[in-house]
Amino acid sequence: DVKVTQSSRYLVKRTGEKVFLECVQDMDHENMFWYRQDPGLGLRLIYFSYDVKMKEKGDIPEGYSVSREKKERFSLILESASTNQTSMYLCAIKGQDTQYFGPGTRLTVL
Amino acid sequence: GENVEQHPSTLSVQEGDSAVIKCTYSDSASNYFPWYKQELGKGPQLIIDIRSNVGEKKDQRIAVTLNKTAKHFSLHITETQPEDSAVYFCAASETGTASKLTFGTGTRLQVTL
């Protein structure tokens, strides 16, 4: 079974804090993705990575950055958290064509 | 880029009835169409997918149909059960290493007793 783990299920941060969301996979897949999920908007792609040290912007990269130093780990960074970044964050890995998701991190920025 | 529209946004059916969720896509190059189910507090889980070389695919009570000419695809759930209550997402992409999924906005299905 594909396993994608995210470091926290729930996170509460203050405006202006630097926030790290971690995603780890155990399947040796090259492709990893970060999405945010908001009611009525579906899943929107923030960043993705095809390989170690490679990253590509998705549809809504503003306010976010990513890091992929090792193949199994893909980190999403909020440089200075804002209240409009309160959301559910989902990490995914890609098999041949299918994406497999982690359980999500619900981030609240106060 | 690809644009995927999904309807309805909410759907309520009685247990045992059928449920149908419809999606349209814009990019004729898309040839892979997965459906995901997301239960409360969990990440989306793949439930079925279809590729453009087939028009229909079934897996027990779930079926997906694809009309490439009209650029629409649908999820059909028969004999619905309370455990089918969840949010369902459709998505579309080209196949290949560099492909990205574009998701619909989701349908909240409620199966009532």
Side-chain angles (χ1 to χ4, degrees):
Chain A
D1 275 2
V2 176
K3 187 156 186 183
V4 181
T5 57
Q6 295 185 229
S7 51
S8 305
R9 295 300 304 274
Y10 300 94
L11 211 51
V12 179
K13 295 292 182 180
R14 298 244 175 237
T15 301
E17 280 192 78
K18 190 168 186 176
V19 181
F20 293 86
L21 302 182
E22 302 284 335
C23 176
V24 179
Q25 55 137 334
D26 66 349
M27 292 296 292
D28 202 37
H29 287 292
E30 280 90 21
N31 298 348
M32 298 185 75
F33 304 80
W34 274 107
Y35 294 88
R36 65 177 281 176
Q37 181 180 11
D38 301 288
L41 298 177
L43 281 73
R44 294 180 292 167
L45 182 62
I46 305 171
Y47 266 97
F48 58 104
S49 169
Y50 290 132
D51 205 343
V52 176
K53 296 193 185 296
M54 291 182 66
K55 60 184 179 184
E56 295 279 345
K57 292 180 180 179
D59 300 319
I60 52 163
E62 296 79 19
Y64 303 94
S65 62
V66 289
S67 172
R68 188 142 181 225
E69 296 297 318
K70 293 185 178 181
K71 193 174 188 179
E72 67 270 20
R73 188 179 299 268
F74 190 35
S75 302
L76 180 69
I77 305 160
L78 286 66
E79 296 290 342
S80 178
S82 63
T83 54
N84 62 13
Q85 292 179 308
T86 291
S87 186
M88 169 72 90
Y89 290 87
L90 291 161
C91 174
I93 64 172
K94 183 164 173 273
Q96 184 177 0
D97 294 310
T98 304
Q99 291 188 18
Y100 301 93
F101 286 85
T105 296
R106 185 162 293 282
L107 171 68
T108 302
V109 182
L110 301 176
Chain B
E2 176 65 276
N3 181 51
V4 176
E5 295 191 356
Q6 182 172 347
H7 299 281
S9 56
T10 59
L11 180 59
S12 182
V13 299
Q14 284 199 318
E15 183 179 6
D17 287 350
S18 295
V20 180
I21 302 171
K22 298 183 178 182
C23 289
T24 60
Y25 63 99
S26 61
D27 189 348
S28 56
S30 290
N31 53 11
Y32 175 65
F33 308 93
W35 286 89
Y36 288 84
K37 175 184 180 182
Q38 185 177 28
E39 296 174 333
L40 200 60
K42 297 183 178 180
Q45 300 289 312
L46 178 74
I47 56 171
I48 196 167
D49 57 13
I50 191 168
R51 299 175 194 277
S52 59
N53 57 346
V54 298
E56 184 174 359
K57 185 176 178 181
K58 282 186 180 179
D59 183 3
Q60 300 182 338
R61 296 185 297 107
I62 293 173
V64 58
T65 58
L66 171 65
N67 183 327
K68 282 214 73 178
T69 303
K71 295 199 190 74
H72 65 71
F73 56 114
S74 301
L75 178 72
H76 303 254
I77 306 173
T78 58
E79 301 171 24
T80 53
Q81 301 167 3
E83 51 266 38
D84 294 329
S85 295
V87 178
Y88 292 81
F89 291 96
C90 63
S93 78
E94 298 179 52
T95 53
T97 304
S99 64
K100 299 177 291 177
L101 285 173
T102 301
F103 287 85
T105 50
T107 296
R108 182 173 298 280
L109 174 64
Q110 181 71 43
V111 180
T112 58
L113 297 172

